[in-house]
Amino acid sequence: MNRRVAFVALAAGLVALAGGWALQAVISRNSASPAVSGAGLDACHALIERFDAYPIVYLGDEYDGLPLRTCHRRQTPGTAYGIPPTDRVTFIYGFCELTGAEPSCAPPLQIHVLPACSPLPGEMPKLSTTRGVEALALGRASVFAAAPQFHVKISAAQGDAAKNRETALRAFDALRGANELASSISSSSRLDVETGKGTVTECGKASAQGPAADSPAISIAAQRLHLAVFVSI
C-alpha cells in the first residue's frame, strides 16, 4: 500500500466516523420519531445505573425546561493511520423544530462525556475557571473541560454563537453526577472532586501495524482531521 492509498483509507475512515457522529447530533426528517436515535428516558436510567466504565455527568431528567430525551454510548475503533479510538456517552435535551427545506436540525442542548484518557482536542481559548476546572471554548458554541476522571463537552443550539456559548456555560455550572462513580459530584460541588475510577483506565491505542502507520505526515493529518471532527460534534 503506497502513501496515496494510505491517505485515501484515512479519509474514508474519517468520513465514516464523522457521519456516525453527525447522525447522533441532529434530528432528521427521516427519523421515525422527533427524538434522535438512542435510548428513551427509561433506558437512559438503566444505562446510568449500570454504567461503570468511567464517571459521567449530566443535567438530570430536565434542565431549564428541556427534558432529557435520549442518551447513548458510542465507541469507535482506532486505525493504523493515527485516528485514535473514541468512547463517549451523550445526553440530549429538548427537541428542535424542522423549518423550511432544512433536512435536519440540532437539539437545543447536548452533553458529551468522555473518559479522562481521551485525547485533548488541541489549544482552546480559556473562558473561565469554575468548579475547580478550566472551562474552554471549543468551536463556536461549545464549552469543554477536562476533569481528573472525565472530559465533558456541552454544545448548545438555541440562537447565535454568543447566546449558545452563554447557554453552554450556564449548563456547565449545573452539571452533576449521573452514575455511581460520579455520586460525589453535585450541582454545587467542584468537578475535580475525587470520584470512582471505573473500568476504563487506559484508552485504546491505534494499531501500529500496517504500511506507513508510522508516517509522520499521515499521523499529523489524522490528528488534524480528528480535531476537526471533534469540534464539529
Side-chain angles (χ1 to χ4, degrees):
M1 182 184 295
N2 59 29
R3 179 169 295 186
R4 176 177 294 181
V5 174
F7 271 112
V8 170
L10 167 65
L14 276 164
V15 168
L17 178 62
W21 287 359
L23 285 174
Q24 288 189 327
V26 299
I27 294 174
S28 169
R29 290 188 182 278
N30 296 325
S31 298
S33 69
V36 294
S37 58
L41 185 58
D42 289 343
C44 277
H45 291 164
L47 182 152
I48 289 169
E49 184 176 355
R50 68 174 184 268
F51 194 82
D52 63 355
Y54 47 89
I56 51 176
V57 292
Y58 73 149
L59 298 168
D61 287 353
E62 184 177 351
Y63 170 74
D64 199 25
L66 299 173
L68 174 61
R69 306 304 307 190
T70 186
C71 66
H72 43 251
R73 182 186 188 185
R74 181 171 176 81
Q75 296 172 282
T76 61
T79 74
Y81 302 103
I83 303 174
T86 65
D87 183 352
R88 77 175 184 276
V89 175
T90 296
F91 297 94
I92 295 180
Y93 288 84
F95 290 132
C96 63
E97 294 183 3
L98 294 165
T99 59
E102 293 296 325
S104 61
C105 57
L109 199 61
Q110 301 179 64
I111 314 295
H112 306 278
V113 189
L114 305 86
C117 54
S118 301
L120 295 172
E123 293 186 9
M124 296 168 283
K126 178 180 175 181
L127 298 173
S128 64
T129 298
T130 182
R131 304 188 69 180
V133 297
E134 291 186 347
L136 306 172
L138 182 60
R140 292 172 53 84
S142 299
V143 175
F144 176 90
Q149 299 299 333
F150 61 89
H151 297 168
V152 59
K153 174 192 172 186
I154 302 179
S155 299
Q158 300 183 35
D160 59 23
K163 181 178 179 180
N164 287 335
R165 182 71 54 72
E166 179 184 354
T167 298
L169 278 171
R170 284 193 293 106
F172 180 84
D173 287 335
L175 289 172
R176 60 186 177 88
N179 60 343
E180 181 64 27
L181 293 173
S183 60
S184 59
I185 300 176
S186 69
S187 58
S188 59
S189 74
R190 295 167 62 103
L191 293 178
D192 61 349
V193 298
E194 185 174 354
T195 63
K197 296 186 182 300
T199 59
V200 173
T201 57
E202 182 178 356
C203 293
K205 298 179 180 179
S207 170
Q209 300 176 354
D214 57 353
S215 166
I218 292 177
S219 179
I220 292 172
Q223 292 174 19
R224 289 175 176 171
L225 286 170
H226 176 261
L227 170 59
V229 172
F230 183 87
V231 171
S232 71
I233 66 173

